[in-house]
């Protein structure tokens, strides 16, 4: 595992802060799990969140159980693995499986169309991993209920088709025991782990092992780098953390992540959650920017995974990358003087959602204007979509960013019609022009400020903390869509579609109470609405 500086200013800043850290014994103290590093106010949460340092060794005790679970699933013909989890309970497993090229369906959504799509895929062969540390995550609860009903309706016994991963004593543990589901809980004698630091715990390993990934190898890779993390020199975690924190202190707080040449697939999305949720608070933080080209502005730090294109290069296998990025993020938070283990601004969106679901009708308000299949909500001066996009781009502060947040089916673009006899490039073009995520790239062409994109409610468990707790320099563009075919949530007084819209409105309210400018675009026809957005932004 190696971290190398490729820009003199970065190297100088990193060297300066690393010197201060080593003078106070920080590398050895962090590697030893010292919870006092981040101050008295953070000590209790740090003590309850540093267990990730022990995972390369302690998680080995899971391997026999994981082998048994995977063997039973294969023997029963359950080869279609679905992961119902959010944030840290989903992102690491997704990276592991994509990198190992084994199939895993990740459902970190409440979008009815995306859930219906998964339900239609080989239900007879499906095993569902339900992962939630607290056991109270609303999305996970809804998906569990939906799948239980789907199995029962198909005449399939739900008891043998779920593997529940949760912390000891959670409501989900009790429910799993009562229902006869397979259960994997964190061991009570091992130090606890926060969700975004849980890549090498049961939350990352159980779904990956069921899907067929070599999880023992991941632990080997992490354990090999572990002894380096207590060193003052030759410590990749310290080198990376000093670069991230040192750059942020110098005003380079936009972290552009580059991985186009890496054999590791999707790591920037996991890093995005880790860094944004750990550092984005008290008006400070580091903003990760994924799937974007650098703008060459003075507030960017480009970090490349196994590539020479950045200011910092990070080389190493996936298991080591997980551990080193976790260590580096804890170091960066220390330099920024924030607690890396809390998420103080996440709860408000959840509370808003819960309250909204008690209303007879969701208070969507009246649109400021309508442009074809798109209704626009918010305090705007524009009267059409091209004008709105120009207005939004102009509103981004000189040190700020634009965040696009889409509460839609992230696989819907693959339903777009393609020309008969089209080659792969033509199919890709057709899919791109039906994909809401293309909006990010088109907006980025029109500004030198970072443009981020997140699928809702997935991003609420990743960048959502930074949006509300980070610097007051974000502009927010939310996209919601009309639901054509909804999905009931058995035992709950709402559907997935109602829950999804309540989550969007709840987060919008949390942004607005903090004075953060936000506009909601509602697609009355999803496919036509996405097409109109992409057309309009090119006219802006």
């Amino acid at each position: 595992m190696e971290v190398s500086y490729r820009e003199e200013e970065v190297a100088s800043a990193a060297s300066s802060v690393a010197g201060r850290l080593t003078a106070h014994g920080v590398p050895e103290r962090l590697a030893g799990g010292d919870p006092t590093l981040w101050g008295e106010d953070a000590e209790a949460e740090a003590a309850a969140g540093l267990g990730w340092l022990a995972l390369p060794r302690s998680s080995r005790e899971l391997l026999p159980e994981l082998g048994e679970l995977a063997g039973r699933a294969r023997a029963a013909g359950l080869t279609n693995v679905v992961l119902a989890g959010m944030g840290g309970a989903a992102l690491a497993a997704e990276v592991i499986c994509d990198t190992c090229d084994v199939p895993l369906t990740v459902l970190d959504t409440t979008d009815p169309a995306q859930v219906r799509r998964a339900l239609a895929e080989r239900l007879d062969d499906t095993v569902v991993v339900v992962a939630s540390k607290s056991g109270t995550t609303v999305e996970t609860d809804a998906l569990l209920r939906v799948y239980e009903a789907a199995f029962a309706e198909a005449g399939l016994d739900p008891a043998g088709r779920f593997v529940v991963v949760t912390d000891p004593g959670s409501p989900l543990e009790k429910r799993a025991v009562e229902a006869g589901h397979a259960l994997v809980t964190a061991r009570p004698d091992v130090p606890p782990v926060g969700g975004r630091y849980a890549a090498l715990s049961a939350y990352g390993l159980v779904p990956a092992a069921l899907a067929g990934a070599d999880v023992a190898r991941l632990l080997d890779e992490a354990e090999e780098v572990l002894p380096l993390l207590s060193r003052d020199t030759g410590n990749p975690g310290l080198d990376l953390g000093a670069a991230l924190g040192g750059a942020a202190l110098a005003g380079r707080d936009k972290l552009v992540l580059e991985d186009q040449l890496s054999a590791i697939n999707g790591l920037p999305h996991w890093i995005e959650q880790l860094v944004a949720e750990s550092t984005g608070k008290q008006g400070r933080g580091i903003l990760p920017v994924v799937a974007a080209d650098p703008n060459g502005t003075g507030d960017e730090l480009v970090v490349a995974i196994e590539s020479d294109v950045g200011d910092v290069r990070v080389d190493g296998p996936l298991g080591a990358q997980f551990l080193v990025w976790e260590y580096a993020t804890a170091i960066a938070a220390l330099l920024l003087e924030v607690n890396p283990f809390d998420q103080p601004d996440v709860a408000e969106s959840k509370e808003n959602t819960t309250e909204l679901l008690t209303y007879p009708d969701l208070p969507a308000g009246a649109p400021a204007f309508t442009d074809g299949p798109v209704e626009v909500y918010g305090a705007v001066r524009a009267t059409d979509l091209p004008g709105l996009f120009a207005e939004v781009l102009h509103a981004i502060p000189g040190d700020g960013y634009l965040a696009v947040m889409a509460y839609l089916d992230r696989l819907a673009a693959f339903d777009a019609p393609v020309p008969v006899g089209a080659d792969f490039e033509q199919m890709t073009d057709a899919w791109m022009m039906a994909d809401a995520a293309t909006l990010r790239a088109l907006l980025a062409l029109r500004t030198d400020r970072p443009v981020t994109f997140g699928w809702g409610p997935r991003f609420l468990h990743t960048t959502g903390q930074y949006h509300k707790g980070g610097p007051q320099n974000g502009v927010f563009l939310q996209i919601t869509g009309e639901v054509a075919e909804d999905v009931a949530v058995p035992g709950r007084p709402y559907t997935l579609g109602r829950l999804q819209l309540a989550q969007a409105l709840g987060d919008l309210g949390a942004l607005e109470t903090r004075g953060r400018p936000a506009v909601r675009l509602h697609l009355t026809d999803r496919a036509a609405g996405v097409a109109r957005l992409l057309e309009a932004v090119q006219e802006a």
Side-chain angles (χ1 to χ4, degrees), residues 61-410:
E61 298 186 19
L62 284 170
L63 295 179
E65 185 176 3
L66 297 182
E68 184 180 335
L69 283 171
R72 286 207 307 266
R74 284 192 296 270
L78 303 181
T79 55
N80 181 41
V81 183
V82 175
L83 171 57
M86 301 298 297
L91 289 167
E94 187 172 58
V95 176
I96 295 167
C97 291
D98 285 350
T99 300
C100 295
D101 196 24
V102 295
L104 175 71
T105 298
V106 175
L107 276 186
D108 52 357
T109 183
T110 49
D111 184 78
Q114 193 170 335
V115 174
R116 292 175 70 90
R117 186 187 303 274
L119 287 168
E121 184 70 23
R122 299 169 51 200
L123 190 64
D124 288 358
D125 305 333
T126 295
V127 57
V128 182
V129 180
V130 180
S132 170
K133 284 184 64 61
S134 67
T136 60
T137 308
V138 64
E139 300 94 337
T140 307
D141 171 76
L143 292 170
L144 171 58
R145 292 170 179 272
V146 167
Y147 263 95
E148 282 180 333
F151 286 137
E153 185 177 341
L156 303 169
D157 182 7
R161 291 178 172 269
F162 289 93
V163 178
V164 171
V165 187
T166 189
D167 280 5
S170 80
L172 186 56
E173 179 189 31
K174 180 182 178 183
R175 183 170 177 187
V177 171
E178 292 173 349
H181 300 325
L183 176 67
V184 180
T185 58
R187 283 178 38 203
D189 59 326
V190 172
V193 181
R196 57 188 175 274
Y197 293 84
L200 297 172
S201 75
Y203 293 97
L205 301 185
V206 169
L210 282 169
D214 185 351
V215 296
R217 180 179 174 184
L218 282 174
L219 298 178
D220 290 342
E221 294 165 353
E223 188 168 5
E224 187 173 343
V225 80
L226 189 60
L228 304 180
L229 300 183
S230 60
R231 294 170 49 173
D232 291 347
T233 59
N235 179 339
L238 176 64
D239 293 341
L240 180 57
L244 298 176
L249 291 173
R252 299 176 67 171
D253 58 355
K254 312 302 188 297
L255 173 61
V256 181
L257 294 161
E258 162 62 49
D259 73 331
Q260 292 184 34
L261 300 179
S262 175
I264 301 173
N265 293 324
L267 187 62
H269 289 289
W270 176 81
I271 295 170
E272 180 182 41
Q273 181 211 12
L274 176 70
V275 173
E277 199 167 45
S278 297
T279 68
K281 54 204 75 171
Q282 299 175 34
R284 283 164 262 171
I286 297 170
L287 174 69
V289 184
V290 177
D293 293 326
N295 288 315
T297 54
D299 59 350
E300 288 181 339
L301 176 72
V302 182
V303 176
I305 312 297
E306 300 180 339
S307 169
D308 287 336
V309 301
D311 305 311
V312 179
R313 173 171 176 153
V314 185
D315 290 278
L318 180 55
Q321 291 270 4
F322 281 144
L323 191 62
V324 165
W325 276 97
E326 288 164 351
Y327 184 104
T329 300
I331 289 285
L334 176 61
L335 292 167
L336 291 172
E337 299 182 353
V338 296
N339 176 1
F341 306 113
D342 70 350
Q343 45 279 330
D345 299 289
V346 168
E348 184 176 345
S349 294
K350 297 179 182 179
E351 291 164 359
N352 289 351
T353 297
T354 300
E355 181 180 354
L356 287 168
L357 287 171
T358 66
Y359 295 176
D361 297 299
L362 294 177
F369 68 87
T370 299
D371 185 326
V374 182
E375 297 174 342
V376 177
Y377 295 81
V380 298
R381 295 186 300 275
T383 56
D384 61 13
L385 282 173
L388 173 73
F389 286 129
E391 182 179 333
V392 166
L393 290 167
H394 182 72
I396 306 172
D399 63 345
Y401 67 100
L402 172 62
V404 183
M405 310 164 294
Y407 288 79
L408 302 170
D409 174 3
R410 64 173 169 150

